[in-house]
Amino acid sequence: MKSNKPVPLFIYAFLVLLFFFPLAAKTTTSIENNPLFPNISLAEGEEQRFSDDFARNVKKNAPNFAEAFYLQNMLGYVIGKPHIKGWQAGVVIGSAFANGKYWDGDAAADTYPAFAPIVTIHLGKELDSRSDVIGKIIILDLFMTGKEPDLAGVTLEDYRQFTIGGKYRRQIFEGKRLLPFLLNFEGITAGASADILTGYMGARGVYEVEQERTTVTTTSGDATTDTYLEGDYTAKSTWIQMSFGFDVISYFRIMRFMNIYTGLGCALGYSWFGMKAVSEGELMARDDSLDTLIGDGFNYQSDHLLTMSYRSDYVFNPFPLMPISIIGCEIDIVDFSLTLETAVNLYNLEDVTMVLGARYQF
């Protein structure tokens, strides 16, 4: 008898994981001769050097994006009070950012700022006088906006993401009045969440590399010169994040309309980020040292040596434990609240989130 029982979501996640895993850490390079100068080639070992450079550049950026998505996955429950009364519903917008050194000019060469958009809808319910539960969901499709954002020279062609999660909170310490009207301690709440995120991203940009002392083979012999390559690239990424989150947050009320909260948390789970990148560009000489050797009217300023194409497939798994620090501020307007929250990855003090939340309690 055929069963119609649906397959659990986590099984689909692992099927995708198994499908992409064979692509890990593989880079191939192909070279096409210039038809006007067909006798030019790279000396032994040079092709591998260019291939290794391209692979390193792909690997430099994959960890940043993987960490941004891992940080994003455990957040999105933006509530500035230690306990929900009745029901509440809200929305959160913002982003998680990684590779913060880019903005200071201290980032590794050929790396870019990584970001993971956060657009969350959440719904919460009081369970008893000290505990509550919150559910969140993200369905984000950049294609629906008709836009192709550009950030630091990288253009997003496609971006899709789905997230679902739930969080249980319990107030472990009750509040206490500190300064009448001005400052009250609202209590400490411990929370535990389970989250899963999957998504796809397509991007394009320009790949540039300078290679000193490249050995080139011609009909007149070998010669060494400085070269550079500039070409277009496209990159496609797929990710799966599955994590359990834990946090302990302290809440304070300033006067009657502002809540400040801060605390520590961590994510523990499994993160998988796969990236495919392809590029094609023309290899050029940086000076005229090869012009006479190649002959036949070769001019380093207008003629290319070779056309080089790359294809790289790479998988990265971030460290499964990510400690974070959280701080936020919520302003109350009757039953409506506006919240600004940020979180920092304590492992490297570079990955951060900035989100704005709005919610209604009823």
Side-chain angles (χ1 to χ4, degrees):
M1 183 175 177
K2 188 174 181 179
S3 172
N4 293 321
K5 186 177 180 180
V7 179
L9 180 61
F10 74 88
I11 293 182
Y12 283 120
F14 277 109
L15 287 176
V16 174
L17 177 66
L18 292 174
F19 177 78
F20 281 100
F21 186 77
L23 302 178
K26 179 183 178 183
T27 299
T28 57
T29 303
S30 59
I31 296 177
E32 181 180 340
N33 294 99
N34 184 340
L36 298 178
F37 306 95
N39 295 320
I40 301 174
S41 62
L42 291 177
E44 184 179 357
E46 292 290 358
E47 180 179 337
Q48 187 61 49
R49 186 160 69 127
F50 277 92
S51 180
D52 291 343
D53 281 348
F54 186 78
R56 276 194 296 270
N57 287 328
V58 172
K59 293 178 181 179
K60 284 178 182 178
N61 286 284
N64 295 327
F65 280 98
E67 290 175 0
F69 288 119
Y70 198 32
L71 179 60
Q72 174 216 41
N73 187 40
M74 68 176 296
L75 301 173
Y77 308 96
V78 179
I79 296 177
K81 290 185 175 65
H83 183 246
I84 296 172
K85 303 292 185 181
W87 289 81
Q88 72 90 41
V91 61
V92 177
I93 59 172
S95 184
F97 300 91
N99 194 26
K101 289 183 178 181
Y102 179 89
W103 307 110
D104 299 329
D106 297 327
D110 300 312
T111 62
Y112 305 97
F115 63 98
I118 300 174
V119 182
T120 304
I121 297 173
H122 57 87
L123 181 68
K125 182 184 185 302
E126 179 183 23
L127 296 179
D128 56 42
S129 62
R130 300 187 68 174
S131 62
D132 54 49
V133 64
I134 309 160
K136 73 170 184 181
I137 188 171
I138 298 175
I139 302 176
L140 185 61
D141 191 339
L142 184 66
F143 176 76
M144 301 297 293
T145 69
K147 304 294 184 180
E148 291 188 346
D150 184 277
L151 179 64
V154 179
T155 302
L156 281 186
E157 297 180 311
D158 197 2
Y159 187 95
R160 304 169 192 175
Q161 180 175 287
F162 173 77
T163 300
I164 190 168
K167 183 174 185 178
Y168 171 80
R169 302 193 311 164
R170 184 165 183 83
Q171 191 172 3
I172 56 178
F173 289 101
E174 296 183 351
K176 184 177 181 181
R177 179 175 295 184
L178 300 177
L179 295 174
F181 179 71
L182 293 178
L183 178 64
N184 291 323
F185 173 60
E186 294 289 285
I188 298 177
T189 296
S193 64
D195 307 277
I196 183 169
L197 176 151
T198 182
Y200 167 86
M201 178 173 62
R204 69 175 185 271
V206 176
Y207 174 67
E208 298 176 285
V209 62
E210 295 185 7
Q211 194 71 273
E212 297 180 352
R213 300 189 59 78
T214 303
T215 303
V216 178
T217 299
T218 70
T219 53
S220 301
D222 291 350
T224 299
T225 188
D226 294 340
T227 59
Y228 73 94
L229 182 143
E230 179 178 321
D232 297 326
Y233 77 85
T234 58
K236 297 180 180 180
S237 305
T238 306
W239 57 89
I240 299 171
Q241 319 282 345
M242 293 173 285
S243 64
F244 294 98
F246 307 93
D247 58 49
V248 178
I249 309 294
S250 299
Y251 297 84
F252 300 87
R253 175 174 284 271
I254 300 176
M255 294 184 283
R256 293 184 178 178
F257 63 92
M258 181 180 295
N259 298 288
I260 302 293
Y261 60 96
T262 184
L264 299 174
C266 69
L268 178 64
Y270 181 78
S271 177
W272 180 92
F273 184 89
M275 177 182 285
K276 294 182 180 181
V278 296
S279 178
E280 180 177 291
E282 293 180 344
L283 183 66
M284 306 286 291
R286 295 195 63 86
D287 55 46
D288 62 359
S289 59
L290 297 179
D291 288 6
T292 303
L293 190 64
I294 296 173
D296 296 327
F298 180 86
N299 186 319
Y300 82 100
Q301 293 179 322
S302 58
D303 297 317
H304 65 279
L305 299 170
L306 300 161
T307 299
M308 305 191 68
S309 301
Y310 303 95
R311 180 182 180 88
S312 183
D313 300 312
Y314 180 62
V315 169
F316 180 77
N317 303 107
F319 189 71
L321 179 64
M322 179 181 287
I324 65 169
S325 174
I326 301 171
I327 185 170
C329 174
E330 183 170 275
I331 297 176
D332 295 330
I333 307 172
V334 191
D335 294 325
F336 181 78
S337 300
L338 287 175
T339 310
L340 182 65
E341 180 183 287
T342 183
V344 179
N345 179 359
L346 296 177
Y347 182 74
N348 57 22
L349 299 179
E350 295 177 13
D351 307 337
V352 299
T353 65
M354 289 293 295
V355 296
L356 177 66
R359 66 187 187 91
Y360 182 78
Q361 187 160 304
F362 50 93

